[in-house]
Amino acid sequence: MTQAPRDLLIVMPSWVGDIVMATPALRALAQGLPDTTISATIRPGLTAILDGAPWLQELTTASLRGSLGPWKDARRLARHEPEAVLLLPNSLRSGLFARLMGCSRRIGFAGQGRGLLLTDAIPRPRTNHPTTTLEDYVTLVEQGFGLTVEDRRPQLWTTRDQEEEAERILAGIEGPTIVFNPGANRVDKRWHAGHFARLADELRSRYPHTILLNGSPAEQPILEQIERSAAPGLINLPARGGSLGALKAILRRSDLLVTNDTGPRHLAAAFGTPSVVLFGPTDRRFTILPGVRERHLVAEPFLTEDRVADDHPAACRIDRISVGDVTHAVDVLLAEEGTGR
């Protein structure tokens, strides 16, 4: 095994889903390097995702943005003097940040023109099919530190403050809940708001669950469109306030999530909450999560294995997924969980 560093700084990725997919790697490092002080730095606004996790001694923020971003963040965090830094983002900017910090070991994937910035430049595995970001992070840990990552399930924790905030947001809501997450960072990844409205009406005619609508402030118009199209009684979570940390706690308590391929899907998976995940022109094979309770619905189920959905946006329009198919997937998951009719 490669000699364990005295202390290790992990540079986290910038997307919610990627952060969750990094948790098996974080857990393996904490278990495999018990004498190493492990800290992480993450983009501002995303610390709530890892709050409560027992694997880190410290969690700091660094945006690495702007022409001077890597230099400013490196100068600020260099006071910690970590012996080693692990770069999960595969970017030139993160490599420059690590080099400017002056760490004696700088571990990350080769490529993106940053090979000379790293001391441990690990080749990315070459395959003829899509691989997951989770597996990429596992490869970095196994090859960079000589560890074996056997448990690859994503995992998150909540804090007492996050649970109390969720209690406040859900005040007055009795009984089981289903969360809808109709947003996404791209329009072509969003199942139509009208479909979500029809699904809400169908599910409420069959089950006693309250439907909770989740979205970012920028996605509020989507939630309002669903509310206008569906029968009254949906709960608009952003309208009640709340934070990313509270969403973790809400998803942990919910019976089911129906979502596009976006960050909250990964949060739910990390708490074992069953999910129906809708995939349009993004290939599900990039984000398959081991050991989670999900049913995937793809817009073009007959796309051959040698083709990637991302390269066929017309054939993989997300609105090709029917309300009936989503309803059936919900029926199956709720029956499996014993929370159906």
Side-chain angles (χ1 to χ4, degrees):
M1 173 178 168
T2 304
Q3 183 175 358
R6 178 189 68 255
D7 36 43
L8 170 67
L9 173 66
I10 304 169
V11 179
M12 298 299 298
S14 297
W15 294 98
V16 172
D18 289 352
I19 293 168
V20 175
M21 286 192 284
T23 58
L26 298 184
R27 181 174 57 233
L29 286 168
Q31 294 173 348
L33 306 176
D35 298 323
T36 298
T37 299
I38 301 175
S39 60
T41 188
I42 196 170
R43 197 179 79 191
L46 298 180
T47 56
I49 299 173
L50 293 179
D51 282 345
W55 314 302
L56 302 172
Q57 279 70 57
E58 186 177 12
L59 184 61
T60 60
T61 61
S63 66
L64 308 184
R65 291 182 174 178
S67 58
L68 296 178
W71 179 80
K72 290 180 178 178
D73 287 322
R75 184 179 180 184
R76 176 171 52 85
L77 295 178
R79 60 184 174 83
H80 296 273
E81 298 182 342
E83 180 181 339
V85 59
L86 171 63
L87 305 178
L88 298 185
N90 188 31
S91 65
L92 177 61
R93 189 175 294 270
S94 63
L96 181 60
F97 164 78
R99 182 65 183 87
L100 290 170
M101 283 194 70
C103 301
S104 58
R105 285 191 68 197
R106 302 179 296 279
I107 306 154
F109 280 127
Q112 303 297 321
R114 65 181 192 171
L116 295 177
L117 300 172
L118 306 177
T119 60
D120 299 56
I122 297 172
R124 297 193 73 168
R126 292 187 177 184
T127 64
N128 295 322
H129 56 81
T131 58
T132 70
T133 303
L134 187 151
E135 291 298 328
D136 287 343
Y137 298 152
V138 165
T139 296
L140 285 174
V141 168
E142 291 188 331
Q143 295 194 19
F145 299 90
L147 301 176
T148 299
V149 183
E150 296 181 351
D151 186 356
R152 303 187 179 193
R153 295 171 299 169
Q155 184 180 19
L156 290 176
W157 307 71
T158 58
T159 66
R160 180 175 179 178
D161 287 346
Q162 290 170 349
E163 293 288 345
E164 290 177 350
E165 186 179 10
E167 288 278 1
R168 177 186 63 78
I169 293 170
L170 298 178
I173 299 174
E174 302 291 340
T177 60
I178 295 174
V179 178
F180 283 5
N181 191 75
N185 65 316
R186 285 168 29 194
V187 173
D188 62 353
K189 294 172 64 174
R190 300 173 187 168
W191 204 45
H192 196 275
H195 295 347
F196 274 105
R198 288 172 53 199
L199 178 66
D201 290 343
E202 180 63 30
L203 295 183
R204 287 188 295 170
S205 73
R206 302 153 76 94
Y207 300 108
H209 295 65
T210 298
I211 305 294
L212 311 177
L213 302 179
N214 173 67
S216 68
E219 293 164 349
Q220 185 68 10
I222 302 174
L223 308 190
E224 293 172 354
Q225 183 179 350
I226 296 172
E227 288 184 288
R228 289 193 301 269
S229 301
L234 304 184
I235 302 298
N236 187 322
L237 290 176
R240 294 187 169 211
S243 66
L244 183 59
L247 176 62
K248 286 168 51 182
I250 291 170
L251 290 171
R252 187 189 65 78
R253 301 167 184 221
S254 295
D255 288 290
L256 186 77
L257 169 69
V258 180
T259 181
N260 300 317
D261 177 28
T262 188
R265 168 237 174 159
H266 297 81
L267 300 179
F271 289 110
T273 300
S275 298
V276 176
V277 188
L278 313 180
F279 290 89
T282 54
D283 202 297
R284 74 182 192 92
R285 291 173 292 177
F286 287 115
T287 58
I288 291 176
L289 303 174
V292 303
R293 293 178 287 180
E294 292 184 336
R295 288 188 70 87
H296 293 175
L297 297 180
V298 297
E300 177 46 89
F302 300 108
L303 199 68
T304 56
E305 286 291 314
D306 61 319
R307 293 193 290 173
V308 176
D310 305 58
D311 299 331
H312 301 277
C316 298
R317 297 190 322 275
I318 195 168
D319 282 341
R320 296 185 64 185
I321 300 173
S322 72
V323 173
D325 284 345
V326 180
T327 302
H328 175 70
V330 171
D331 289 341
V332 170
L333 277 177
L334 291 181
E336 290 176 352
E337 296 301 311
T339 55
R341 288 175 290 188

